[in-house]
Amino acid sequence: MEKPRYERILLKISGEALAGEPGRGLDFDFIRQVCSVVKECAQMGVQVGLVVGGGNFWRGLKDGGDKMERSRADQMGMLATVINSLALQDVLEQLGQPARVLTSVEMGPVAERYSRPLADRYLKEGQVVIFGGGTGNPYFSTDTAAVLRAVEIGADMILLAKNIDGVYSADPKKDPTAVKYDRISYDQVLAGHLQVMDLPATSLALENHIPVMIFALKDPRNILRVVTGERIGTIVEEEPKS
Ligand code: UDP
């Protein structure tokens, strides 16, 4: 078995990535593929924290927009992340991988309330910990929740699984001269207004010196490639100290 490069990771998956073709709902064949790879990582001894978005069901601003009060629309989005978290937990358990859902708000019988020591305990036990409900606050995204939880649990790396295989100098769909970066600093991301994560997530990662690897989830085995140190995607980190 290959040796993992990281001891503890935080994997962020967007809700849309779990959806079938129309971008809504849940594609269980794909979820099973992702969960199998997550299980492989756990079996290698990697402690895996997971944050999943909710965009396959509801995004506060996009879907609620002017039709609803914003905070309430965002609460619906946070609930959507819990739906996805429960689906991931279920499939992981079907595969024989113990998994816990810890939510940012109290949800009684649905899941346990998040606390850092509890997450730490489960991770050390080799259980996959799925952080549901985002940050618990409106006006934030699950990218920010991912960075927040990664920092809290002391993850070595954030794995940002996307529908694109890295960070480009421009939108590769619109600009044929766009080049993919292997490595980029936070300063370059901010200065170039490059689409990696939203601003609150980027500044939280920057302030806490945590590297982020952006790669394509289309092939879920990419998760394993990153974990074993293969250089795919783009790594966003601080400038090396001279
Ligand atoms: N959300 C929120 N606070 C958070 C995280 C998420 O209000 O801390 C809401 C927000 O409405 C967001 C929705 O949940 O649009 C779904 O999250 P996100 O858009 O990040 O999901 P993704 O695009 O990754 O599927």
Side-chain angles (χ1 to χ4, degrees):
M1 193 183 268
E2 275 186 276
K3 267 178 81 80
R5 182 164 180 170
Y6 308 104
E7 202 175 314
R8 186 174 276 191
I9 58 164
L10 190 295
L11 172 64
K12 159 75 207 293
I13 301 173
S14 76
E16 244 168 18
L18 301 183
E21 265 317 301
R24 294 260 155 178
L26 293 166
D27 175 348
F28 276 93
D29 288 338
F30 187 67
I31 293 174
R32 184 168 273 270
Q33 288 177 43
V34 173
C35 288
S36 301
V37 179
V38 169
K39 181 186 171 186
E40 270 186 72
C41 294
Q43 280 181 331
M44 287 169 100
V46 182
Q47 298 176 16
V48 186
L50 242 161
V51 168
V52 59
N56 52 327
F57 289 114
W58 183 268
R59 283 200 183 97
L61 190 60
K62 186 165 160 273
D63 298 311
D66 51 2
K67 298 183 279 292
M68 282 188 75
E69 192 275 316
R70 171 73 191 266
S71 299
R72 193 172 282 141
D74 278 338
Q75 282 161 352
M76 288 170 66
M78 288 186 261
L79 289 174
T81 73
V82 178
I83 296 178
N84 287 333
S85 300
L86 294 174
L88 287 169
Q89 180 188 30
D90 200 84
V91 175
L92 282 164
E93 286 180 357
Q94 286 174 36
L95 295 169
Q97 171 59 51
R100 300 281 179 153
V101 176
L102 303 185
T103 50
S104 53
V105 291
E106 190 71 62
M107 296 193 81
V110 176
E112 292 159 276
R113 173 85 163 81
Y114 167 78
S115 80
R116 195 199 52 77
L118 189 60
D120 191 56
R121 194 180 97 201
Y122 289 149
L123 287 166
K124 283 183 177 144
E125 287 172 4
Q127 306 204 54
V128 171
V129 175
I130 308 164
F131 301 101
T135 64
N137 297 296
Y139 296 91
F140 284 103
S141 68
T142 48
D143 279 357
T144 304
V147 180
L148 178 63
R149 296 300 183 229
V151 171
E152 283 186 278
I153 63 169
D156 303 312
M157 165 81 86
I158 298 170
L159 276 68
L160 208 57
K162 293 239 186 197
N163 57 3
I164 186 162
D165 63 351
V167 181
Y168 285 78
S169 55
D171 184 347
K173 284 193 197 121
K174 292 181 193 150
D175 184 349
T177 66
V179 287
K180 188 179 134 207
Y181 299 109
D182 292 332
R183 186 196 163 274
I184 189 168
S185 70
Y186 283 111
D187 288 342
Q188 284 171 287
V189 168
L190 292 170
H193 302 284
L194 301 172
Q195 290 295 323
V196 177
M197 302 183 291
D198 57 35
L199 218 49
T202 308
S203 45
L204 194 61
L206 169 69
E207 258 174 39
N208 291 284
H209 323 285
I210 187 160
V212 183
M213 177 74 84
I214 293 102
F215 63 99
L217 186 66
K218 204 168 163 213
D219 177 1
R221 296 202 69 77
N222 280 342
I223 298 168
L224 212 56
R225 294 189 180 103
V226 174
V227 162
T228 53
E230 228 180 280
R231 282 316 271 268
I232 58 164
T234 301
I235 184 161
V236 185
E237 57 189 353
E238 287 186 306
E239 293 283 7
K241 288 180 185 67
S242 49

